[in-house]
Amino acid sequence: MSLHFLKKITINISTMKKYSFYLAAILGSILLLTGCGNQNGKASSDGALASNNAEKVYVAPGEHDEFYAFMSGGYSGNVTVYGLPSGRMFKEIPVFSQFPTNGYGYSEETKPMLETSFGFIPADDSHHPDISQTNGELDGRWLFINGNNTPRIARIDLKTFETAEIIEVPNSAGNHSSSYITENSEYVVAGTRFSVPIPQRDMPIKDYKGNFKGALSFISVEPETGRMDIKFQLIMPGFNYDLSHPGRGKSHGWFFFTTYNTEEANSLLEVNASQNDKDFIAAVNWKKIEEYVENGGGTMVPANYTHNVYSDETHSATSTMKKEVLTVDPTKVPGAIFFMPTPKSPHGVDVSPSGDYIIGNGKLSADLTAFSFDKMIAAIEGEKFDGEAYGLPILKFEDVLGGTVKSGGLGPLHTEFDGEGNAYTTFFISSEVVKWKLGTWEVIDRKPTFYSVGHCMIPGGNSRKPFGKYLISLNKITKDRYLPTGPELEHSAQLYDISGDKMELIYDFPTHGEPHYAAAIPASILAPKSQKIYKLAENEHPFATKNVSEARIVREGNEVHVYMAMIRSHFTPDNIEGIKVGDKVYFHITNHEQDFDVPHGFMMIGQKNSGLLIMPGQTKTSVWEPKQEGVWPFYCTDFCSALHQEMQGYIRVSPANSKIDLSWSLGE
């Protein structure tokens, strides 16, 4: 081996040692840095910052969250309830979709809730929850949510966390710019996404322009009961109406709707509905229209739509088909509706807590547009119009512009407010939330979201009194945020601490369905009013068994009614004979418990619908149609006591021509 070769090996080894030292130093620095905070939104488990964030979202065992958050379920058709800051899911409230967990939409009592003019519809697409308000502040009485596909508005009673009422919205299609509440809950407003022929009729789709119309529905809310009724529908030009929000404070009495497709295209909208440089925000003076209607204005027209109401007294729903609705031609109410030009294809429209500013953004823009309510009123009073659309005045963009936020983001969608003069806007394309200052229009902060955020939500952020402690981003794409679960993933939500000058991402949790929007309220407002049981003595269900002595079985032809009681840990009766193949058996089951959190369940072998989950003091009904002879068991599905497994019974099913009489027993 030559000396030259040995020298070469020595030099290479020395060089390798030197580079190994540098590499170790670099790796050590990386490890040190990653141990101290977030990396691409992912907090390490042992960093000081991560530990601090964990403390912010930690709710100790037995302790309660600070806020309730109600998230729309999107294509689940329901609403989910979470705690903040923990991100724990407390409940899924069935609204527009059947729910086998508790039998909603399957039990005889709740089937009427899903009736529509199209018949029984077992599912929908829920988008925008909004909490009732008094004087512009959240009062926690009711939550309203829209059904997007089969146009409906639901009211959820926040005392029971159950759906109390659903009203169908006629002349509407794609009930998207819904369901938003005026500041004293005078109206919940529902706007159509798709314009359609009004009244519906057979006509060529190519004749859309000038013939299709968009209905904006103002649904009155009875102050004491919350009962809904369609007060009037505005029959607007045939644009697409995307989202809406009410004026508040100085702009109370107005409502604002974004429009797109002012071109009135009917095919390939991604191209043909983006030709105009600007679309509109429709500013609607509903106080003026209300006065017009109360003085006899408007036209009553035929319309079929259902009104479904659930009673806590009878534990049952009724469905009523209504036959007409009052419509208003907006050109007959001068000074009630104006169009504000807005950068093309706007999505959200949001109103500041004071009502001074209306925020509308083109989805493909990099800037945010804030319209001034004062300037809008001045332009209206000065008749500073720039033409008209279908007889409705168009205001000049420059005359109503309050300010522009040069954000540097892409794809602005929705804005919420913290009550401290700050606004927070989501950017879908650049996947971020941007914080900016009302009035000065300066960008204060921006934080990434993971990934492609849609709505954001601050508790009370669309009211006169926001609770500006947290912001949630509701993201459309999940990708790598959680352990993979095959092709279908839950959506992600991220929680930001906004109590300081800068936003801080502190938590990340999966959400059920596809939450579009959410509404949150301090737990201190809701929790004390939450109902624990239904009082058995107040049960007015026509088939209730309020005392075990009332348990019985009645045959009416091939219909058999079983009046059944349940309590830990048995059914009364639990052995039944005399049922025949071909009978239709109604189990009317009353839970006699009067303790909080002691529900009972019921399932019957061969049952062709869901089981039941029956709360203390409540009565529910399930139908079973036996097809085979034999002895078939039923049982309690909710673990209720140490002897839960013993909570069962048998039904003997005899041939259709059997002469065996009905009989029932307990303990024999």
Side-chain angles (χ1 to χ4, degrees):
M1 185 178 293
S2 69
L3 181 63
H4 175 75
F5 185 68
L6 287 172
K7 280 180 69 177
K8 188 174 181 181
I9 291 175
T10 304
I11 291 168
N12 285 343
I13 291 171
S14 174
T15 303
M16 287 174 64
K17 285 181 177 179
K18 181 168 71 175
Y19 282 123
S20 297
F21 172 79
Y22 289 145
L23 181 61
I26 291 168
L27 287 172
S29 298
I30 291 172
L31 288 170
L32 181 64
L33 289 170
T34 56
C36 294
N38 294 357
Q39 300 298 312
N40 294 322
K42 298 178 181 177
S44 68
S45 60
D46 57 353
L49 182 59
S51 175
N52 183 50
N53 288 345
E55 289 175 4
K56 289 181 179 180
V57 300
Y58 178 68
V59 178
E63 298 296 321
H64 292 171
D65 280 278
E66 188 176 353
F67 294 93
Y68 286 98
F70 299 90
M71 297 192 186
S72 70
Y75 38 66
S76 79
N78 296 329
V79 170
T80 46
V81 186
Y82 293 80
L84 297 181
S86 74
R88 298 178 296 189
M89 180 174 153
F90 298 148
K91 181 173 182 175
E92 182 170 357
I93 303 173
V95 184
F96 300 112
S97 297
Q98 289 181 296
F99 194 59
T101 299
N102 67 6
Y104 179 88
Y106 291 98
S107 72
E108 297 302 296
E109 289 80 8
T110 56
K111 283 180 182 177
M113 294 298 285
L114 302 182
E115 289 292 343
T116 75
S117 62
F118 301 93
F120 182 85
I121 302 293
D124 212 312
D125 179 21
S126 61
H127 277 233
H128 306 123
D130 207 7
I131 297 170
S132 57
Q133 299 182 15
T134 300
N135 297 324
E137 299 181 13
L138 305 184
D139 61 28
R141 291 179 294 166
W142 309 298
L143 180 82
F144 297 87
I145 182 78
N146 60 318
N148 192 41
N149 182 52
T150 303
R152 289 171 284 178
I153 298 291
R155 177 175 59 87
I156 295 169
D157 186 338
L158 292 181
K159 183 179 64 175
T160 61
F161 284 62
E162 301 290 349
T163 302
E165 184 180 13
I166 298 177
I167 191 166
E168 190 178 357
V169 183
N171 298 323
S172 181
N175 177 36
H176 193 258
S177 48
S178 317
S179 49
Y180 296 104
I181 304 296
T182 56
E183 69 171 27
N184 283 299
S185 303
E186 299 97 335
Y187 293 100
V188 54
V189 177
T192 191
R193 172 183 169 187
F194 308 107
S195 287
V196 293
I198 297 177
Q200 274 286 9
R201 58 195 181 277
D202 180 19
M203 65 175 291
I205 298 172
K206 67 179 179 61
D207 293 340
Y208 176 120
K209 192 167 187 175
N211 293 305
F212 285 27
K213 302 294 180 185
L216 307 181
S217 303
F218 284 72
I219 302 167
S220 63
V221 179
E222 204 283 322
E224 296 301 320
T225 65
R227 189 68 60 89
M228 298 184 290
D229 187 45
I230 298 176
K231 181 83 170 183
F232 59 86
Q233 288 187 320
L234 283 176
I235 307 303
M236 296 284 285
F239 311 145
N240 289 58
Y241 296 83
D242 201 347
L243 277 172
S244 64
H245 264 103
R248 52 183 61 97
K250 67 167 54 179
S251 55
H252 176 59
W254 290 80
F255 224 96
F256 303 93
F257 299 82
T258 49
T259 73
Y260 65 101
N261 190 26
T262 51
E263 298 86 350
E264 296 180 80
N266 62 272
S267 180
L268 196 62
L269 264 64
E270 63 179 323
V271 175
N272 296 323
S274 299
Q275 299 303 302
N276 294 340
D277 182 53
K278 288 183 170 62
D279 289 299
F280 299 127
I281 288 177
V284 176
N285 186 334
W286 59 261
K287 286 276 193 181
K288 187 178 284 286
I289 298 168
E290 181 184 61
E291 181 182 5
Y292 170 77
V293 166
E294 288 175 352
N295 287 326
T299 303
M300 197 67 77
V301 300
N304 289 330
Y305 60 102
T306 56
H307 187 196
N308 308 329
V309 180
Y310 184 84
S311 165
D312 283 339
E313 289 72 34
T314 64
H315 306 294
S316 303
T318 56
S319 179
T320 303
M321 184 69 72
K322 308 198 84 169
K323 294 293 186 180
E324 57 184 8
V325 67
L326 184 68
T327 60
V328 173
D329 177 350
T331 63
K332 300 291 178 63
V333 195
I337 299 173
F338 302 88
F339 289 128
M340 294 193 293
T342 307
K344 70 170 67 176
S345 302
H347 190 39
V349 57
D350 301 283
V351 180
S352 63
S354 65
D356 285 294
Y357 297 108
I358 302 101
I359 316 301
N361 315 301
K363 291 195 294 285
L364 305 180
S365 175
D367 298 335
L368 309 180
T369 306
F371 296 98
S372 165
F373 179 74
D374 288 341
K375 287 186 175 183
M376 185 193 85
I377 295 299
I380 291 170
E381 291 174 348
E383 298 186 354
K384 296 180 179 180
F385 303 141
D386 192 17
E388 62 177 38
Y390 292 99
L392 301 174
I394 301 172
L395 299 169
K396 291 182 179 179
F397 178 75
E398 296 78 11
D399 289 334
V400 295
L401 181 64
T404 301
V405 181
K406 299 291 185 180
S407 69
L410 291 173
L413 294 183
H414 305 284
T415 302
E416 294 268 302
F417 308 91
D418 65 5
E420 300 296 330
N422 303 308
Y424 302 74
T425 299
T426 59
F427 287 77
F428 178 80
I429 297 173
S430 53
S431 275
E432 59 182 333
V433 177
V434 173
K435 177 182 179 180
W436 52 276
K437 194 73 175 176
L438 285 161
T440 68
W441 321 119
E442 62 180 316
V443 171
I444 300 170
D445 192 21
R446 60 196 327 130
K447 283 292 184 290
T449 63
F450 305 92
Y451 304 92
S452 299
V453 59
H455 281 269
C456 64
M457 183 275 291
I458 294 170
N462 66 340
S463 73
R464 291 178 71 174
K465 185 184 176 182
F467 301 89
K469 186 174 183 179
Y470 301 115
L471 177 145
I472 281 187
S473 69
L474 299 166
N475 308 319
K476 296 301 180 186
I477 296 175
T478 302
K479 296 279 187 190
D480 56 1
R481 299 305 292 177
Y482 315 117
L483 289 173
T485 55
E488 182 184 351
L489 305 175
E490 294 283 43
H491 286 230
S492 76
Q494 277 150 343
L495 183 69
Y496 297 80
D497 180 350
I498 60 170
S499 60
D501 292 335
K502 299 295 185 180
M503 298 179 285
E504 186 178 8
L505 175 59
I506 58 174
Y507 197 50
D508 188 320
F509 59 96
T511 55
H512 186 57
E514 187 199 4
H516 290 260
Y517 187 44
I521 185 171
S524 59
I525 296 175
L526 284 196
K529 299 186 291 187
S530 185
Q531 186 163 326
K532 290 181 166 54
I533 65 169
Y534 296 100
K535 293 181 180 179
L536 187 61
E538 297 174 1
N539 185 333
E540 297 178 11
H541 193 293
F543 293 97
T545 303
K546 296 166 74 170
N547 190 294
V548 290
S549 63
E550 299 170 358
R552 62 197 186 279
I553 302 177
V554 177
R555 177 180 287 280
E556 297 174 357
N558 71 332
E559 287 189 358
V560 178
H561 293 268
V562 179
Y563 294 75
M564 181 177 282
M566 58 191 343
I567 197 166
R568 288 167 287 184
S569 295
H570 63 271
F571 295 93
T572 304
D574 65 359
N575 283 340
I576 300 170
E577 300 193 18
I579 304 298
K580 304 174 186 179
V581 171
D583 281 345
K584 191 171 187 177
V585 182
Y586 292 82
F587 295 95
H588 309 291
I589 309 170
T590 303
N591 182 349
H592 279 205
E593 306 287 355
Q594 291 290 269
D595 288 340
F596 179 42
D597 197 22
V598 190
H600 289 298
F602 176 84
M603 272 193 175
M604 177 75 219
I605 191 169
Q607 200 172 12
K608 292 189 176 179
N609 51 23
S610 81
L612 300 177
L613 190 64
I614 308 168
M615 296 302 112
Q618 192 177 46
T619 300
K620 287 187 178 180
T621 301
S622 185
V623 175
W624 178 58
E625 298 183 60
K627 304 296 183 183
Q628 302 177 40
E629 300 168 19
V631 178
W632 308 107
F634 57 87
Y635 66 102
C636 175
T637 54
D638 190 273
F639 204 102
C640 55
S641 73
L643 297 177
H644 165 74
Q645 290 295 92
E646 284 75 11
M647 194 167 174
Q648 66 172 58
Y650 285 106
I651 296 182
R652 175 185 175 185
V653 178
S654 301
N657 60 358
S658 170
K659 302 299 184 183
I660 297 174
D661 292 331
L662 279 177
S663 62
W664 60 94
S665 62
L666 173 68
E668 296 179 10

